[in-house]
Amino acid sequence: MLKRSWQGAAMLMVVGLFASTVPLSMDLKAAAFAAPPLAWQSYTVEDINDPYFLAYPPPAPVHPSAYQFNISSWSHDEVININSTQLRNVSITLENTGSTLIKAPYLYGPQGYDFRDLSKLAATITNGGVGLTNTEKFLRVHEWMDEHYMRTEVWDNDPIGGMDGALRRLNQYGGQMCGENVDIVGNLLRYVPPVGSMFARKIDLSGNHQPGEAFWDGLWHNFDAQPQTRFLYFDWDNTTITPSWNNLKSDIQLMKRIEPWVGWDLSGVVQDATVSDYGIIGDVGAQFDFNYDLRPNESFTMYFDMRGRVDMTSIGYDTRPYSYRTYADYGSGVFTYKPDLRNAGYQAYLTAQTNVTQTADGLIPTDPSIPSSIVIPVKSTWGMAGADIKAHFKSTGNVYIARKSNYLDTTYSPSVTWKLLSQDQKEEYFSPSTIEGAMAYWVKFEFQGTDSGLDYVEIATEVTMSPWSMPGLEYGSNHIHFEAGSMENGSLKVTYTYDDQANHHFYEPATANYGRHIWFRVGGVLTETWYKQNYFMNLNTNPGGTEQVKLEITQVSGPDAGRKVRTLTDRTMPYRRRRERASTGDVCLQADRGRSGHARRAPLSVPNDLAGAQRNQVPRIASRGGVAPRALLGAERFDRSPASVCRTRRALSARRGPRGSASSATDVFMSHKRRQRRQSDNERFSALSRTRS
């Protein structure tokens, strides 16, 4: 149970504030320095490297708002009520406003997930295993992937060696290819309570696709893990999960029969494939500690939308124009450090200091005839994407940067190679990158002479961070829990910035007091014209228009398999500012993958499903902040394949709801009826022959 402490809590609601999504501007307190303009020096290290960001950035908030509260204890709870049905998360800032180090600060979002620990994640996802069968536990993990891990094309998972791992995939990248989705499922299953009761193995289909097989209760069970094909396949009794992909290949009709329910099937990839067992999934890659500390006058801001800089060094994204990437496939975190050089407390957080005297007016040389310098360390487990560095010298000075040749090496050595920063140079101080992908770098500020000195420095380091791991807000009452390893009598200010009138996020409140909400987005993934920024482009350029959208639920297990349960919606929907409109005119109901897409919730008036039965008796937002977990109502596709499908493979529990209604164990699929003809299986999955999923 989370320990609650209200000691030292204070709350302030601020409306109309918006945290900038561009590199941070000069701090206001710098105005106190009456130095010549030339004394200010500003440097950018690693420029914007997302070429489509400048052309089609995320839309600005319509009504930016902020909620702030202060914390003075190692444990604190805050309740933030959001009544808006058009909520979009923008940013979250944790700022150390005290004079001591804050160790390992962490915010738990409304769902209580701890992304630093696979064991804690698995326990939270499965309710500690209490009251659930092993099948139900697996389905919870399988569903959780829909909300927190996407798919993107990657040509190399670990190009610099040693950076890849399950926690890094969840915290930094937020998605990779099909096999890595299977890895995440397998890693979580290893920690499902009781530990050791479940595990998984990876399966390869002739190099074209990688699903998995999970083991529990003495049996194997097939599953697919990537968003486009996150299915389980049942045997002909419509109750037993088919054990293996070899079984499915031998009886391909088990796969083909879902086509009437979801609009397509994956049989074309399986029937001629060689099925290979890639072995039991263990811990993937290196182990990393995603805790961090905040020094006095340091803050950490999480941005839910892309900002134009992304770590492409520690992972090799396939950025060719036709490659599959989502419209909001990376977020950012920015560590901003502004040490108070007029107070001796800053010295505890230096790596080195030479010939420096600290005064009430900043730093001056002890001996003006020789160089004076301070060295400030910057470290992050998240791979760095870039930095903005500022310095205010009393007269003149130089700023240098250094990193170790090993990107993972965070230990300082006096023998490091220093590179003089230039305001005209933004990249290539080191090869293949200056700091992109690194876990540490150091900045040296140097000055010399009778009138020299250093008044102010600011280092804003941007890291790539998965938006799915951020503790964003959602519609309703948000219980936000904070914990720190140590506060040392310090103080922390937390600021949530959001848009409560977003023009492309929509939520429809529940019409019943049981069941689950289903997220979906009108539009498709960005494959029609092959550019990941097309979603934002269409938000800005499409003047209007509507599409007839039909959404159905079909039962696919139990004695009534094939029965249409109900039609959730059959109506005309606008796409301006609400959806991505595919260039072919194709429309699909897709689960939103980011903090920036259209999300409209439709209530599912059936008894609580496996994922929600233990957590809630009334419908509850399963995502954070007006954004859609991708496959609560999923419809995604392979590269360049226009989708005609919306589906979820969620199973409904055979239990009674609060109204006494009962349902059999049921998988539900969502089917969208296109106005255009469906493509053949070969066309639909042609991308699989080009690259391993």
Side-chain angles (χ1 to χ4, degrees):
M1 179 174 293
L2 297 178
K3 182 177 179 180
R4 300 190 179 193
S5 172
W6 296 90
Q7 178 182 0
M11 181 273 289
L12 172 65
M13 175 65 79
V14 182
V15 177
L17 299 180
F18 175 49
S20 172
T21 57
V22 297
L24 301 176
S25 61
M26 184 185 305
D27 190 79
L28 294 177
K29 67 181 179 182
F33 303 121
L38 291 180
W40 276 107
Q41 297 173 203
S42 299
Y43 307 93
T44 294
V45 180
E46 312 290 9
D47 203 0
I48 287 177
N49 60 351
D50 181 345
Y52 307 111
F53 174 82
L54 294 176
Y56 305 111
V62 176
H63 186 251
S65 305
Y67 184 104
Q68 292 181 346
F69 57 97
N70 297 313
I71 298 172
S72 59
S73 172
W74 71 272
S75 180
H76 174 80
D77 287 81
E78 190 80 14
V79 176
I80 305 175
N81 293 311
I82 299 294
N83 296 319
S84 170
T85 58
Q86 295 175 243
L87 175 67
R88 170 192 178 190
N89 280 297
V90 177
S91 66
I92 307 169
T93 299
L94 290 78
E95 179 183 0
N96 186 345
T97 55
S99 59
T100 60
L101 183 71
I102 299 178
K103 296 181 180 179
Y106 196 77
L107 280 177
Y108 294 81
Q111 306 296 333
Y113 298 130
D114 188 339
F115 280 81
R116 301 168 298 177
D117 189 315
L118 288 175
S119 178
K120 291 181 179 179
L121 258 183
T124 303
I125 293 168
T126 59
N127 195 41
V130 177
L132 298 176
T133 67
N134 283 332
T135 300
E136 291 171 335
K137 295 174 191 176
F138 172 82
L139 289 172
R140 284 202 177 189
V141 172
H142 202 230
E143 177 194 75
W144 186 88
M145 290 290 293
D146 292 337
E147 308 174 26
H148 300 94
Y149 207 68
M150 62 171 189
R151 177 193 163 84
T152 189
E153 292 302 315
V154 176
W155 62 266
D156 192 334
N157 291 329
D158 195 14
I160 62 178
M163 288 286 277
D164 196 15
L167 284 177
R168 180 171 297 281
R169 292 173 180 177
L170 288 169
N171 283 276
Q172 179 172 336
Y173 307 134
Q176 288 184 28
M177 300 170 75
C178 58
E180 287 70 46
N181 278 262
V182 174
D183 286 336
I184 298 297
V185 172
N187 271 264
L188 288 171
L189 291 180
R190 293 176 62 247
Y191 292 100
V192 168
V195 174
S197 62
M198 308 180 76
F199 52 89
R201 61 189 178 194
K202 185 188 291 186
I203 301 299
D204 183 81
L205 303 176
S206 296
N208 291 327
H209 183 47
Q210 289 186 341
E213 295 172 1
F215 186 86
W216 70 84
D217 293 344
L219 299 171
W220 289 100
H221 308 79
N222 81 87
F223 72 92
D224 208 336
Q226 70 173 3
Q228 300 94 321
T229 56
R230 195 161 284 145
F231 296 136
L232 306 175
Y233 295 94
F234 286 85
D235 275 338
W236 290 107
D237 63 4
N238 298 324
T239 301
T240 305
I241 299 174
T242 304
S244 73
W245 287 87
N246 270 317
N247 294 136
L248 291 172
K249 178 183 176 181
S250 299
D251 194 350
I252 202 67
Q253 291 301 319
L254 289 171
M255 300 187 70
K256 287 187 174 182
R257 65 176 179 154
I258 74 167
E259 195 275 341
W261 303 329
V262 301
W264 57 276
D265 67 79
L266 195 63
S267 61
V269 178
V270 177
Q271 60 187 358
D272 296 323
T274 298
V275 179
S276 302
D277 181 354
Y278 274 26
I280 303 298
I281 298 170
D283 264 338
V284 177
Q287 302 301 303
F288 293 96
D289 184 358
F290 277 89
N291 286 300
Y292 60 91
D293 299 336
L294 288 178
R295 296 165 284 193
N297 301 298
E298 185 171 25
S299 65
F300 178 49
T301 300
M302 294 168 268
Y303 292 98
F304 289 83
D305 282 318
M306 54 182 68
R307 288 163 41 96
R309 282 198 293 209
V310 58
D311 171 15
M312 297 187 188
T313 299
S314 70
I315 188 171
Y317 289 114
D318 186 349
T319 57
R320 292 173 296 178
Y322 51 80
S323 290
Y324 175 93
R325 294 187 68 190
T326 57
Y327 63 88
D329 57 352
Y330 62 91
S332 292
V334 177
F335 289 93
T336 303
Y337 185 40
K338 308 172 187 177
D340 185 357
L341 304 182
R342 297 164 295 181
N343 185 302
Y346 79 93
Q347 298 181 44
Y349 308 104
L350 295 180
T351 296
Q353 181 171 263
T354 303
N355 191 39
V356 169
T357 298
Q358 191 271 325
T359 74
D361 293 324
L363 309 184
I364 60 174
T366 303
D367 180 353
S369 65
I370 60 176
S372 303
S373 65
I374 62 171
V375 176
I376 297 178
V378 180
K379 299 180 182 181
S380 169
T381 307
W382 291 272
M384 296 175 186
D388 296 286
I389 301 170
K390 297 173 183 175
H392 186 279
F393 292 97
K394 295 182 182 296
S395 55
T396 59
N398 292 321
V399 181
Y400 299 84
I401 194 167
R403 71 161 172 82
K404 302 297 283 292
S405 58
N406 181 348
Y407 281 78
L408 280 68
D409 192 347
T410 61
T411 58
Y412 176 76
S413 170
S415 62
V416 295
T417 300
W418 292 102
K419 296 289 187 178
L420 177 65
L421 291 179
S422 167
Q423 297 185 81
D424 298 324
Q425 180 179 349
K426 298 181 178 181
E427 298 173 335
E428 298 181 354
Y429 289 97
F430 301 101
S431 179
S433 74
T434 302
I435 61 171
E436 184 183 320
M439 292 177 59
Y441 71 95
W442 293 266
V443 183
K444 181 168 68 174
F445 300 88
E446 186 179 76
F447 49 93
Q448 182 178 358
T450 303
D451 297 325
S452 68
L454 181 63
D455 294 328
Y456 176 82
V457 301
E458 176 180 330
I459 305 173
T461 304
E462 186 163 8
V463 302
T464 298
M465 185 177 185
S466 167
W468 338 121
S469 68
M470 299 178 186
L473 302 175
E474 56 187 37
Y475 177 86
S477 181
N478 295 265
H479 174 204
I480 305 299
H481 179 71
F482 169 82
E483 286 182 354
S486 173
M487 289 284 287
E488 299 183 4
N489 297 316
S491 59
L492 182 80
K493 180 171 68 175
V494 178
T495 304
Y496 273 83
T497 304
Y498 56 91
D499 183 0
D500 59 4
Q501 297 179 19
N503 53 16
H504 57 289
H505 288 264
F506 303 90
Y507 169 81
E508 293 185 357
T511 58
N513 65 351
Y514 62 96
R516 293 279 286 175
H517 279 90
I518 296 176
W519 284 102
F520 66 95
R521 180 167 66 91
V522 179
V525 294
L526 304 182
T527 56
E528 308 301 342
T529 52
W530 308 347
Y531 291 99
K532 64 191 174 77
Q533 285 289 358
N534 277 12
Y535 176 72
F536 296 126
M537 177 185 72
N538 283 313
L539 283 180
N540 291 317
T541 60
N542 283 348
T546 61
E547 288 286 354
Q548 185 68 27
V549 176
K550 187 174 184 179
L551 179 63
E552 298 175 335
I553 303 177
T554 300
Q555 180 174 326
V556 296
S557 68
D560 295 325
R563 176 181 65 89
K564 186 173 75 174
V565 176
R566 63 176 293 196
T567 298
L568 282 182
T569 188
D570 187 359
R571 58 178 168 170
T572 298
M573 290 185 178
Y575 61 75
R576 185 187 181 195
R577 294 287 187 184
R578 296 189 180 186
R579 71 178 176 90
E580 171 208 350
R581 185 171 188 271
S583 63
T584 62
D586 178 36
V587 178
C588 164
L589 298 183
Q590 176 191 324
D592 186 2
R593 307 180 197 242
R595 307 299 192 215
S596 311
H598 160 61
R600 179 183 295 277
R601 271 195 157 180
L604 174 58
S605 295
V606 292
N608 291 328
D609 66 9
L610 294 178
Q614 298 298 319
R615 288 201 298 260
N616 44 273
Q617 293 297 310
V618 295
R620 156 181 194 163
I621 292 183
S623 70
R624 298 183 183 76
V627 304
R630 294 182 311 281
L632 287 184
L633 179 106
E636 307 193 53
R637 353 170 204 178
F638 291 103
D639 298 334
R640 292 178 263 181
S641 302
S644 62
V645 191
C646 299
R647 80 274 183 262
T648 177
R649 51 102 213 40
R650 171 192 315 270
L652 303 179
S653 62
R655 66 180 71 246
R656 293 190 177 273
R659 293 184 176 179
S661 57
S663 68
S664 61
T666 308
D667 278 351
V668 290
F669 285 78
M670 309 307 170
S671 175
H672 172 237
K673 308 300 183 183
R674 286 182 63 193
R675 293 180 300 179
Q676 294 183 335
R677 68 172 181 85
R678 291 192 297 269
Q679 290 183 321
S680 69
D681 289 341
N682 289 336
E683 290 175 298
R684 192 171 301 284
F685 298 108
S686 60
L688 292 177
S689 63
R690 290 188 296 273
T691 180
R692 182 182 66 81
S693 297

